[in-house]
Amino acid sequence: MNFLAIETSCDETSVAIFTDELQILANVVASQVDLHARFGGVVPEVAARAHLQRLLPTMDEALRQAQVKLTDIGAIVVMNSPGLVGALLVGVSAAKMLALTLDVPLLSANHIEAHIFAARMAAGRDIFPCVGLVVSGGHTSLFHCKTPLDFDLLGGTIDDAAGEAFDKVAAILGLGFPGGPAVEREAALGDPKAHSLPRSFLKEDRLAFSFSGLKTAVLYALYGVGKTRGAAPGPGKARADLAASFQKAVIDVLVAKARQALRKTKLTRLAVGGGVSANGALRAELEAMAKQERAEIFIPPRKLCTDNAAMAAVAVEKWRRQIFAALDLDAVPTYHGKN
Ligand code: KG4
Ligand code: ZN
C-alpha cells in the first residue's frame, strides 16, 4: 500500500511516497532558501505563497521518481502541526483535496513526532521506548517517547531553539542563511576553546535549555561587553574561533541534557532528530556520550534530519490503528508533547 505525504510547515515544500513497510519510494524536497536568504530568515507570508506555487510540481516529481500514479495511492498524509500556520494550511488544504478526490483516507502527522520517527525509519527496527531529542529551527525538546505516537515532554527551551541560535549567530558573523551548515563549516576552521561562552543550566538538574544569552555573549565577544552592534566580521581566525566556540557551547548543553534525560528516565535508547542533528560535531559527541552511558543511539542520515515528507511515515502507525483525520482537519501551529 502506497502513502503520499505532504510537508509544508516552514520553508521546505516536500512530498514523499512510501509504503506501509516504511520503504521510501520518493522524498522530494524543494527548498525555499533562495527566497528567504535576502531577508536573513524565513518570512511566513513568502513561505506560504511559495508552497502554493511549488507543491503540485513537487508532487508530480515525487510520483515520477516513485513511478507511481495518483490512482496507486491508498492514503494521504499531511503534517498539520506544528509550524507556520499559513504554510501549514497550504499542505493541509491540498491533502484534503487529494483525499476527497481520490476517495482515500486522510491521516495527520505531527512534525515533531515525525522528526523522531525518521530515526526509527533509518534504524529499520523498533526503537521505542526511547528518549527523543528534537533539535530544529523551532524546537529544542527532550521527550520520553513511549510509542511513535505518545510522547511526554521532559523539558525544552525557555527562549530560542538551538537551530534558531545557529541562524542568529550566522547572521551576526555575516555567514548568511541558512545558518546551521554555514556555522558548522566556519567552526571547523576555528578553536572551540578560544572563547568561554555561557552554557545555560549545564550544572542544574532541570531539563531545560536557554540559548538567547549565548547569542548575546557572541555579540559581546565581537563588539565588547554591552555592545550589540557593529560591522559583521570578515573571514579569518577571529570569526572561525567564535563560530567554533559558539557551536561547542550549544553541543555541550545538548549532550549534557540528553545524558541527564537518559539517567532520569532509565531508558537505554536515544533517538535524535531535527535539522541541527545534521551537524557532524553534534552527532559525534552524542554518539560518544551514548557509548559512555551504554545506551543505543539512533540518528538518521542527514537528509532525513532536516525537514522532509518521508518522516511523515509516522502516520503509518495511525493507519494501522485506523486513526484517520476528518476533512475539517486544522493546521495547529504549536506542540507541547501530546496530540
Ligand atoms: O528540522 P528543520 O529542517 O526545520 C525545522 O523544523 O525547524 O531544522 C532547521 C534548523 C535551522 O535552524 C538550521 O540552521 C539548522 O536546523 N541546521 C543546522 C545544520 N543544518 C541545519 N544546525 C547546525 N548544523 C547543521 N549542519
Ligand atoms: Zn523540522
Side-chain angles (χ1 to χ4, degrees):
M1 153 92 172
N2 297 318
F3 294 73
L4 184 146
I6 297 175
E7 150 66 22
T8 61
S9 70
C10 190
D11 61 341
E12 338 268 11
T13 312
S14 180
V15 176
I17 295 166
F18 45 79
T19 68
D20 54 333
E21 303 280 305
L22 304 182
Q23 191 195 349
I24 302 172
L25 304 180
N27 188 19
V28 179
V29 181
S31 168
Q32 300 179 6
V33 162
D34 50 335
L35 296 180
H36 301 286
R38 69 193 169 105
F39 303 107
V42 178
V43 183
E45 182 69 22
V46 172
R49 284 169 192 267
H51 286 308
L52 209 50
Q53 286 171 338
R54 294 169 188 212
L55 186 52
L56 293 181
T58 306
M59 184 178 86
D60 284 344
E61 177 60 16
L63 290 164
R64 195 191 63 75
Q65 287 186 13
Q67 297 191 310
V68 160
K69 293 195 210 63
L70 264 183
T71 46
D72 300 327
I73 299 295
I76 303 292
V77 185
V78 64
M79 233 111 56
N80 72 317
S81 175
L84 303 168
V85 74
L88 288 168
L89 273 172
V90 176
V92 168
S93 308
K96 287 178 185 176
M97 178 274 293
L98 283 166
L100 188 67
T101 50
L102 296 173
D103 195 21
V104 297
L106 176 68
L107 295 144
S108 67
N110 177 286
H111 187 99
I112 301 299
E113 292 167 359
H115 268 311
I116 293 299
F117 199 74
R120 152 73 185 87
M121 293 175 84
R125 64 181 165 98
D126 193 20
I127 62 166
F128 298 93
C130 61
V131 167
L133 171 65
V134 178
V135 271
S136 68
H139 291 80
T140 305
S141 309
L142 280 159
F143 297 98
H144 177 165
C145 309
K146 295 189 241 165
T147 73
L149 302 172
D150 188 5
F151 289 16
D152 285 338
L153 182 68
L154 299 170
T157 181
I158 59 164
D159 43 53
D160 293 352
E164 195 178 350
F166 268 93
D167 293 334
K168 286 180 177 170
V169 166
I172 292 167
L173 297 181
L175 295 171
F177 174 83
V183 171
E184 180 174 13
R185 280 193 300 274
E186 185 74 8
L189 310 171
D191 172 10
K193 295 204 182 84
H195 297 268
S196 111
L197 297 173
R199 285 149 169 80
S200 299
F201 307 132
L202 189 69
K203 298 264 167 349
E204 286 180 39
D205 191 39
R206 212 169 132 195
L207 292 174
F209 302 92
S210 165
F211 295 108
S212 77
L214 177 57
K215 173 194 65 196
T216 309
V218 169
L219 282 168
Y220 288 179
L222 262 181
Y223 305 123
V225 177
K227 298 205 185 98
T228 55
R229 274 173 203 280
K237 183 160 165 32
R239 187 172 81 175
D241 282 351
L242 203 43
S245 302
F246 159 78
Q247 179 173 279
K248 181 71 173 132
V250 174
I251 291 174
D252 281 356
V253 280
L254 292 176
V255 171
K257 294 294 163 188
R259 188 194 298 272
Q260 278 181 12
L262 281 168
R263 290 185 180 176
K264 273 192 183 186
T265 58
K266 301 200 165 40
L267 291 164
T268 55
R269 292 170 178 155
L270 172 64
V272 188
V276 182
S277 57
N279 184 285
L282 174 64
R283 294 165 80 95
E285 293 211 27
L286 282 169
E287 273 161 13
M289 178 277 287
K291 201 167 177 193
Q292 286 165 3
E293 297 297 311
R294 295 178 199 281
E296 274 186 290
I297 183 161
F298 303 93
I299 315 182
R302 284 179 174 79
K303 68 175 192 300
L304 283 182
C305 290
T306 47
D307 286 352
N308 68 90
M311 66 190 191
V314 68
V316 172
E317 301 283 331
K318 289 190 182 172
W319 174 77
R320 286 192 203 292
R321 295 174 213 182
Q322 306 263 299
I323 307 171
F324 300 121
L327 285 178
D328 64 352
L329 178 73
D330 212 351
V332 182
T334 54
Y335 175 69
H336 302 291
K338 285 275 187 226
N339 253 334

